[in-house]
Each structure stands twice: as structure tokens, then as C-alpha cells.
Amino acid sequence: MTNDYQMLSKTAHKNLRVCESKLHDLQVATQIAPVLITEVDRLAAEFSLFFSKNSQTGDFVLVALLGFSDNENLFLADGQWQSSSIPLAFERHPFLIEQTDGSIFIDMQSPAVSTTEGERIFDDTGEASAYLQRKISVLEAIYNGAEPTQQFIKLLQEYNLLEPVKLDITFANQSQQSIDGLYTIASERLAGLAEQAMINLHKQNLLQPCFLVMHSLQHLQALIDKKNQRL
Amino acid sequence: MTNSKISSILIVGGGSAGWLTAGIIAARHGQSVKISLLESSTLPTIGVGEGTWPTMKTTLQKMGISETEFFRYCDVSFKQGAKFCQWVTGKKDDFYYHPLTLPKDFLDINLAPFWLENPSDSFSNSVSFQEAICEKNLAPKTLLMPEYAAAANYAYHLDAGKLTEFLSQHCQQKLNVQHIIGTVDEVLVSEQGDINSVKTQDGQSYQADLFIDCTGMSSLLLGKALNTEFVDKSDVLFIDRAIATQVPYESEDSPILPYTLSTAQSAGWIWDIGLTSRRGTGHVYSSRHMSDDQALKQFSDYLGKPLKETTVKEIKIPCGHRKEFWKHNCVAVGMAAGFLEPLEASALVLVELSANYIRDQLPENKAIMPIIAKRFNQLNTHRWNSIVDFLKLHYVLSKRTDSQFWCDNRDPQTIPDSLQELLQLWQYQSPYMHDFLYKEEVFPAASYQYVLYGMGFDTQAALAMSSQQRQRYAQSINENKQIKQKALNSLPDNRTLLNKIKTFGMKAI
Ligand SMILES: Cc1cc2nc3c(=O)[nH]c(=O)nc-3n(C[C@H](O)[C@H](O)[C@H](O)COP(=O)(O)OP(=O)(O)OC[C@H]3O[C@@H](n4cnc5c(N)ncnc54)[C@H](O)[C@@H]3O)c2cc1C
């Protein structure tokens, strides 16, 4: 899918509308979704969280596992989310926030964007509509969460707390699959962490996310069950 | 000699050999043994030697070096093997590969006899996927793979000058190696033949329990002070000169070859090694078979630009090694121990193997030093001899007749008995694990297979093969095809990945 992000402008984009239901193919087509540290509390209740590497830079990112093959999102059925909450990364579309200066962009190539269908983004007076305001709060949450998420991952690497996990799964129909490229918190190393490092994590409120990420692995079985139901 | 512990080691010489040895030993013993490296600030290092073996990965990793930092500092690129051009017939399209990945399933099955029955594709292409990715200039891994991990086995191309700087910093900052500057002008030897101390031009004197001679070709301690005989091998391997020069890339996105290119000439060969910053090239030749002018001319032709004597670095290279490598309390590593032409980049790997041995066998007390020295000498004599054989093999199998150099190389008088014996053996059976006596051979049986069958040697395998064996062979060959396809689809362009490593780095896990 190609994108054409333009900086959002009250004048140039005055008459645009967004039809949210047309966004779904963006969501279906993904096996993992980026997660911010500010979302871990909420998402760890339903999703298995891991770390994986950005394919362009090799940098670690925090992600939720949504499926077992390239384009599989098992949390969606008939275009509807089956979970009680979803990662912010899905809610931002068709907008984007620039991490450097916070400017907002809209994807003119998105099938959801037109002048005819869906919610208006600016009202008659040219001010942000209630819809856009909701979107802006999502974008701001992403903007504010990005830096602490990176800081979290940086510390985990510094304290050598990441370790690779390989998932070897046998589904109900006996087909097998292994998934590489996922990492989690090294629980033994966390338990044996030097006092100073432990205190440092604790003071920055990063200890709880560590335990939540480890704990979230228990949802893997539920995800396998979801897949089995579809076989 | 007293029954005391070895508590101090002095390494003399700060070239690649000196610093690698320091790092390898200090990573294990740096806290319990005092390790110092003394080097001259006026006598230069040799400044060449830019291709390694895959062993270097483990060597650096064990020293606690970040592979990313190493890539960035030393302009490192990937080496997936060597491509030998014009070695067999001398024609334009004549080439074969010696890749660093073992033939498929090598530890379970020897594919060579099956391939020999019906050699439709080249040997290396049939049993390994690496030639295919090299021909497409692909990297041996992706950015997402951790440091030192590989999809296809690799070694390094590196800037030799920067390597010594890099190792020197690491050894001093992280491994507790003491760095001393000074030029040794006197070596004091006891009546028993031990080295007591070395004295430098500025009047300082340094003692140690064990001296490691890394002074390069001058072999100051083992060769000069302890008078250890030099075993000349130039009657077997004729190369005795090198002219080297560094070449810039034509543009910022010229391909970086992921292998060492070795192109045979009329009395020698030219190496071509692509780093991220430049190419390093050189022509090594036999001065008995070619004049310096001719050598320069062929080198200019290869590079496609006129070279003057002043723009190339000239090195006279010895061919041979010391008769003993460890004598009394002195052991030599690197060119102080000996040197053979750089055809298969065997020098640095031998440095690593020697230093590993010293690290592992560092005598608990001085009384057992002679026993360890004796064993070290036996092992190394074997190693040097087998390297000589392996290098000579490349010349013996050539069919070139265009110059006296190639013909002389096939004269049985110049072929060691040990190699003649192997060649006889290989007429009827292909080299495999049992042909080799030592666990840590410098070149594994796979290397012999790649060179033999890459150069068209015919083994008349007479053994009957069961249908199960045939099936197993077909399966391996097929799997290799699939892996090849997958690798071709998923591995990135070599320069692209090297640029990304510069920008983003590789992760430790
Ligand atoms: C043309 C050519 C190509 C090569 N290509 C390869 C290759 O591709 N792969 C490979 O593995 N190897 C290659 N080699 C070999 C490789 O370069 C050497 O094995 C390696 O660099 C080790 O050299 P060294 O440290 O033993 O000696 P040097 O680099 O010569 O270092 C000697 C050191 O001793 C010091 N020294 C000398 N005398 C004194 C003194 N009196 N007092 C104090 N210090 C002293 C010097 O200052 C210097 O630091 C090549 C060699 C040549 C000639």
C-alpha cells in the first residue's frame, strides 16, 4: 500500500472526510502492532507483548502479537475488533504525528479519505471537528509515549534484560510453525539484577511494565486457540 | 628454571599479531597475569593483511568486542570466501569459488562422490548456496540478525592499520594490557638459553617470565637472539614479491564485493579486497619468473590505470618458517614465526590459533614449559606443512601453460611428498574428515574439496552406492537449491547492509 502524507491544513483539507470503516484492511494486514509503554497496563490484559526489531533500523520496538503468519490478525473477525481495547497505533489512521516536532499529517492515499463519505475533519467555521479532536488526542498520546518507550527499551538493553524467544507451535490440525525474531524480558536476569539497577528501574516506574510484559505471555494460549478455531 | 608460576608476559611488537595475541591471552588471564606489549614507535607495521577467516568472529567475540564498533572503526566488510579467476585455464570466463560455508550436511554425508558422477553445475554451486549470493553481491546476513550471527558463514575484510589501533585501545581500556613504547636494541639471554630481559634504545630494560615475539619479519627474539633456523619453502611456493596499492571506489554506490577476488597472472596473482572505504589490491609474484616492471605493468592493466613505482608499496616476502616456534621462554607469533604467500589468508588465522594455544596451555609453572613448547612445535610444524600443501595445491591443479611459472609449479620436484601422497589418495577417494589427523586443522576437508573440484580434479570414486545413499544425496542437493532461492530472496545487497550497520548498528542479541 502506498501512502501520501500531507501536513494537515485547515484550508487545503477543509472539505475532507474520513470513513473509519474503510480503514480495516490496514489493520487486517498485520501480525504485530507497535505498543507504547503508556499502553502496557491496558494491553497486557489481553495481548501477548514482546519486543521485535524494526526491519529498517534493527532497533528494538515493543509490540503486541496479533497472529502467526505475515498478514494475520486474529483479533479481528469480520472487520470487527474482538478485544476490549486496541493498540493506539491502529487508532491514529489515516493520520500521523511527526515525532520530531509534533506536526500532524493526513494520508491522502488512504481509501478512508474522501470529500464525500464519513466524518468531517473540520467544521463549517474551519475549526477541528469533534472527530478530529478525538484523533488528535490519540496522536498526542502516541507523541508523548514514544520517548518513554524508547527510554524503557534502552535501559532494558543496557541492563542486558532482553532475550530471544522462539515460538514452536503445533496447531490443532497438527500443522507446525515456528516464529523467530521475538524477544522478551529475561526473567532470571531481572531477578538477579544489581541493586542499583533495580532501584533505578523502580524509580522510573519501569519495573511494573517488565512484570506485565512477562505476564502477558500467558495470553499466547488464547491466541493459539483463536487460530485453532479458524482452521 | 624454578618451579614458579608464570606471572608476567611481555609481547614485543604491536602489529596485528601482537595485539591479537595480547587480546586473546588477556581476555582469559588479564587479571591474574601481568601482560604488557612493547612496540616501537618508529618501525612501521607491515600494513597489509586485510582478509581473515571466520575464526576471527569468535576471537573478537571472546575479547568482548562489539561487532558494530569493529565494523565502524576498521571499515570492515563481509568476506564470504574467495573467488579464483583465471587459475585453471587462464581464460576470461574461468573461475571457481572457495566459499566459507561447508557443503550441505557435510558432517553427515560426503556429497562429493555423488556430485562427481554427474557434475552438471559447479561443485560449489551444487553443494552450497554461497556462490550464488556472492555472484549477486549480497550480504551474508540481515540487519535483524544479532552481532556475529550469520545466515551464511562469513569472515572479514578490514583495514589493517585501523585494526591494530582498535585492538590496542580495547586491550588497554578493557583487558588490562599495559602498553609500552620503545625500540628493542638488545636481547639478554641467559646461559641456559632463556631470555632474561630486553633493552630498549632509551635505556630501559624489561623482564618477563614469557616473551612473545611479534616483531614481524625481523623475528628479533626467536630468530635473531635465540638463533632459530629458518626453514625455507621457496622451492615449493615461488611467490617472493608484493606490490600493493589502495584504490578508491568509482562512486558512493559502486558494489562492494562480499568475497576476496584473486585473479591469476602470468607469474603470480592479484588480490582485490573491498572495504567500506576503499579497495585494497596487490600483485604478488615470483621475481624469478617476472621482472618488477612487468609485474607493475600487469598490475596497471588489471586496475585499468597506469601505476608508477612510487604509488605502490613494495614488499619482499619471505617464504618459510622458523624450525621451532617456541624455544625456552620465547614463543613467536605472526610473521616472526614465518610467512607464506597470502593466497588463502592463512596468516591471521594462524596467529589466532597460536595465541589460543598459548592462552589454553599457559604453563601452570615454568617447569613444564619445555613440554608445552615441544607439543606446540609439533602441532605448528604440522600446520605450516599442511598450509604449504594446501597453497601448492592451487598451483599444481592449474592447467595453465602460458608461462614458465605455471609449468615450474607442476614440476614434481617442487611438490612436497606429503602433497603427492594426498593427490594419489584423492584419485580414488575424495577428501573427507578422516584424512586429517588433527582436530584443529587450519583448512578443513571441505576447503580441499572446494579447491580440488573447483579446479576440475577428477576422483574416480569406485565405491558402490546404495539407493538410500543416492536418495539422501538427492535430498541434500534439493534442499540446497531451496535454501539458495530463499537466501537470494531475503538477503540484502552487501553495500546496503554495510551502510545500515554504519548508521544503525547491529544488536548484541
Ligand atoms: C602482501 C601481503 C598480503 C597479506 N595478506 C594477508 C591476508 O589477506 N590475510 C592474512 O591473514 N594475512 C595476510 N598477510 C599477513 C599479515 O599481514 C601478517 O601476518 C599480519 O599483519 C601480522 O604481522 P605481524 O604483526 O607479525 O608483523 P608487523 O605488522 O610487521 O608488526 C611488527 C611489529 O613489531 C614491532 N617491532 C619490530 N622490531 C621491533 C623492535 N626492535 N623493537 C620494538 N618493536 C619492534 C613493529 O613496530 C611492529 O609493531 C599478508 C602479508 C603480506 C606481506
Side-chain angles (χ1 to χ4, degrees), chain B residues 48-315:
Chain B
V48 284
E50 311 207 307
T52 80
W53 267 79
T55 46
M56 191 62 84
K57 283 197 302 214
T58 323
T59 295
L60 299 178
Q61 201 173 13
K62 281 193 179 162
M63 282 185 211
I65 284 172
S66 143
E67 197 183 28
T68 301
E69 281 174 27
F70 167 62
F71 266 74
R72 288 177 178 165
Y73 196 103
C74 304
D75 302 335
V76 177
S77 69
F78 296 107
K79 166 180 172 179
Q80 300 189 60
K83 178 177 183 178
F84 293 98
C85 295
Q86 278 119 63
W87 275 80
V88 183
T89 61
K91 295 209 181 85
K92 274 269 165 294
D93 60 350
D94 160 24
F95 78 87
Y96 74 97
Y97 270 89
H98 175 188
L100 297 178
T101 298
L102 291 179
K104 182 92 179 73
D105 303 327
F106 191 67
L107 303 179
D108 297 330
I109 181 174
N110 180 6
L111 298 179
F114 301 90
W115 176 83
L116 282 159
E117 285 189 331
N118 182 17
S120 52
D121 201 349
S122 79
F123 177 69
S124 125
N125 224 356
S126 302
V127 303
S128 148
F129 62 98
Q130 204 152 25
E131 172 172 337
I133 57 181
C134 284
E135 285 288 285
K136 290 263 185 275
N137 287 335
L138 301 184
K141 68 191 293 182
T142 68
L143 187 65
L144 301 194
M145 297 177 81
E147 294 193 328
Y148 299 113
N153 198 15
Y154 65 82
Y156 305 115
H157 292 143
L158 49 83
D159 181 309
K162 291 183 177 171
L163 175 72
T164 52
E165 283 172 26
F166 179 76
L167 290 174
S168 155
Q169 288 170 16
H170 184 81
C171 285
Q172 290 175 67
Q173 287 161 12
K174 303 271 168 67
L175 300 177
N176 211 14
V177 175
Q178 189 199 6
H179 186 202
I180 311 165
I181 302 283
T183 304
V184 174
D185 63 359
E186 203 184 340
V187 181
L188 296 158
V189 182
S190 76
E191 270 175 33
Q192 289 80 21
D194 280 326
I195 296 181
N196 277 340
S197 62
V198 294
K199 270 177 75 181
T200 51
Q201 281 169 355
D202 54 4
Q204 301 286 330
S205 142
Y206 301 94
Q207 293 179 321
D209 297 325
L210 179 66
F211 288 85
I212 305 184
D213 185 351
C214 294
T215 57
M217 284 180 200
S218 63
S219 193
L220 201 63
L221 279 56
L222 183 78
K224 293 219 180 83
L226 299 186
N227 252 322
T228 309
E229 194 184 318
F230 184 78
V231 184
D232 188 280
K233 296 282 181 183
S234 60
D235 51 340
V236 182
L237 296 167
F238 308 149
I239 302 282
D240 60 356
R241 287 283 154 88
I243 43 177
T245 191
Q246 299 175 353
V247 192
Y249 284 107
E250 260 167 43
S251 81
E252 262 179 26
D253 44 32
S254 306
I256 299 178
L257 302 185
Y259 49 84
T260 300
L261 186 60
S262 158
T263 309
Q265 306 294 313
S266 63
W269 54 276
I270 288 172
W271 83 79
D272 195 334
I273 285 180
L275 308 185
T276 53
S277 49
R278 58 159 170 88
R279 285 156 63 198
T281 61
H283 185 187
V284 286
Y285 57 97
S286 159
S287 67
R288 282 168 279 175
H289 295 89
M290 177 159 34
S291 71
D292 294 344
D293 285 349
Q294 257 178 308
L296 194 67
K297 163 106 190 21
Q298 288 189 1
F299 196 21
S300 305
D301 289 348
Y302 175 86
L303 292 173
K305 64 170 191 187
L307 290 168
K308 287 202 222 75
E309 277 154 57
T310 47
T311 52
V312 296
K313 177 172 169 163
E314 250 190 76
I315 310 167

Side-chain angles (χ1 to χ4, degrees), chain B residues 237-486:
Chain B
L237 296 167
F238 308 149
I239 302 282
D240 60 356
R241 287 283 154 88
I243 43 177
T245 191
Q246 299 175 353
V247 192
Y249 284 107
E250 260 167 43
S251 81
E252 262 179 26
D253 44 32
S254 306
I256 299 178
L257 302 185
Y259 49 84
T260 300
L261 186 60
S262 158
T263 309
Q265 306 294 313
S266 63
W269 54 276
I270 288 172
W271 83 79
D272 195 334
I273 285 180
L275 308 185
T276 53
S277 49
R278 58 159 170 88
R279 285 156 63 198
T281 61
H283 185 187
V284 286
Y285 57 97
S286 159
S287 67
R288 282 168 279 175
H289 295 89
M290 177 159 34
S291 71
D292 294 344
D293 285 349
Q294 257 178 308
L296 194 67
K297 163 106 190 21
Q298 288 189 1
F299 196 21
S300 305
D301 289 348
Y302 175 86
L303 292 173
K305 64 170 191 187
L307 290 168
K308 287 202 222 75
E309 277 154 57
T310 47
T311 52
V312 296
K313 177 172 169 163
E314 250 190 76
I315 310 167
K316 291 206 166 79
I317 46 185
C319 177
H321 57 82
R322 298 288 151 183
K323 189 158 183 211
E324 290 154 292
F325 307 93
W326 193 328
K327 206 167 172 181
H328 301 284
N329 65 342
C330 172
V331 52
V333 178
M335 296 204 298
F339 186 69
L340 300 171
E341 61 163 287
L343 183 56
E344 286 276 8
S346 53
L348 292 174
V349 64
L350 211 48
V351 167
E352 297 168 72
L353 288 170
S354 299
N356 288 348
Y357 192 98
I358 300 169
R359 173 198 66 201
D360 295 342
Q361 300 286 315
L362 192 67
E364 232 349 277
N365 72 50
K366 291 182 200 162
I368 60 167
M369 185 122 72
I371 305 171
I372 291 184
K374 185 172 146 202
R375 295 162 70 108
F376 183 83
N377 288 333
Q378 276 168 353
L379 177 62
N380 274 281
T381 306
H382 167 77
R383 280 183 176 151
W384 283 89
N385 284 335
S386 47
I387 297 174
V388 170
D389 281 354
F390 184 59
L391 300 186
K392 182 69 172 178
L393 184 66
H394 295 67
Y395 294 99
V396 171
L397 297 180
S398 173
K399 300 180 175 71
R400 286 182 68 145
T401 50
D402 52 299
S403 73
Q404 202 52 42
F405 173 79
W406 294 100
C407 301
D408 287 353
N409 256 306
R410 288 187 298 267
D411 177 351
Q413 296 287 331
T414 72
I415 307 175
D417 292 345
S418 47
L419 180 59
Q420 301 218 20
E421 217 171 71
L422 285 171
L423 284 165
Q424 255 181 351
L425 192 67
W426 293 334
Q427 280 181 13
Y428 301 101
Q429 63 187 54
S430 56
Y432 198 45
M433 268 95 82
H434 42 248
D435 292 6
F436 298 91
L437 307 174
Y438 286 83
K439 202 170 115 246
E440 270 194 337
E441 291 288 345
V442 180
F443 296 105
S447 291
Y448 288 84
Q449 289 197 351
Y450 282 127
V451 173
L452 279 175
Y453 305 127
M455 298 193 74
F457 185 84
D458 194 18
T459 297
Q460 302 289 332
L463 291 178
M465 285 176 267
S466 70
S467 59
Q468 283 94 333
Q469 277 178 314
R470 270 180 216 293
Q471 246 171 21
R472 181 66 220 274
Y473 168 73
Q475 188 190 338
S476 293
I477 295 292
N478 239 327
E479 281 171 12
N480 184 54
K481 277 196 188 129
Q482 287 164 12
I483 295 172
K484 191 184 300 178
Q485 205 46 54
K486 212 174 136 203

Side-chain angles (χ1 to χ4, degrees), chain A residues 53-60 157 160 162-164 183 189, chain B residues 142-147 500-501 503-509:
Chain A
K53 288 180 182 172
N54 175 313
S55 62
Q56 289 308 303
T57 64
D59 286 338
F60 280 107
Q157 285 176 266
N160 193 20
L162 293 181
E163 69 181 7
Y183 300 76
R189 290 206 292 268
Chain B
T142 68
L143 187 65
L144 301 194
M145 297 177 81
E147 294 193 328
K500 287 213 165 188
I501 291 174
T503 318
F504 302 113
M506 292 180 275
K507 295 287 174 295
I509 55 168

Side-chain angles (χ1 to χ4, degrees), chain A residues 8-201:
Chain A
L8 191 61
S9 137
K10 279 184 190 176
T11 47
H13 303 129
K14 190 172 62 177
N15 296 322
L16 289 187
R17 291 168 181 266
V18 176
C19 177
E20 290 264 325
S21 62
K22 291 202 171 163
L23 285 170
H24 275 134
D25 45 349
L26 289 171
Q27 299 167 342
V28 182
T30 184
Q31 183 196 358
I32 55 170
V35 167
L36 298 164
I37 185 142
T38 43
E39 302 182 273
V40 168
D41 266 0
R42 183 168 55 87
L43 297 178
E46 282 178 283
F47 297 87
S48 283
L49 306 183
F50 292 94
F51 301 87
S52 80
K53 288 180 182 172
N54 175 313
S55 62
Q56 289 308 303
T57 64
D59 286 338
F60 280 107
V61 279
L62 179 58
V63 296
L65 185 70
L66 307 176
F68 296 104
S69 48
D70 261 357
N71 300 322
E72 182 172 73
N73 181 349
L74 294 167
F75 286 88
L76 279 176
D78 302 325
Q80 293 300 314
W81 281 93
Q82 305 296 301
S83 53
S84 56
S85 72
I86 67 172
L88 284 177
F90 289 115
E91 293 194 54
R92 71 167 174 83
H93 293 290
F95 301 94
L96 179 85
I97 187 157
E98 177 66 50
Q99 280 306 328
T100 47
D101 60 1
S103 37
I104 293 174
F105 292 78
I106 182 164
D107 180 9
M108 298 302 288
Q109 287 284 324
S110 166
V113 176
S114 70
T115 51
T116 51
E117 232 184 317
E119 310 245 20
R120 293 189 61 179
I121 55 178
F122 293 106
D123 62 21
D124 291 336
T125 65
E127 291 309 311
S129 67
Y131 167 75
L132 182 58
Q133 282 173 14
R134 267 203 320 279
K135 283 290 187 183
I136 288 178
S137 63
V138 169
L139 294 169
E140 282 172 352
I142 292 177
Y143 182 79
N144 293 329
E147 174 68 32
T149 307
Q150 279 172 16
Q151 180 60 20
F152 176 50
I153 292 171
K154 206 176 131 216
L155 268 188
L156 293 178
Q157 285 176 266
E158 193 178 314
Y159 295 153
N160 193 20
L161 288 177
L162 293 181
E163 69 181 7
V165 268
K166 188 170 178 224
L167 305 181
D168 286 307
I169 302 166
T170 307
F171 295 109
N173 66 357
Q174 298 308 310
S175 66
Q176 296 186 337
Q177 189 166 2
S178 45
I179 299 183
D180 279 317
L182 296 177
Y183 300 76
T184 189
I185 308 248
S187 54
E188 281 179 22
R189 290 206 292 268
L190 179 62
L193 200 60
E195 203 170 321
Q196 201 47 51
M198 192 66 104
I199 292 173
N200 193 18
L201 281 176

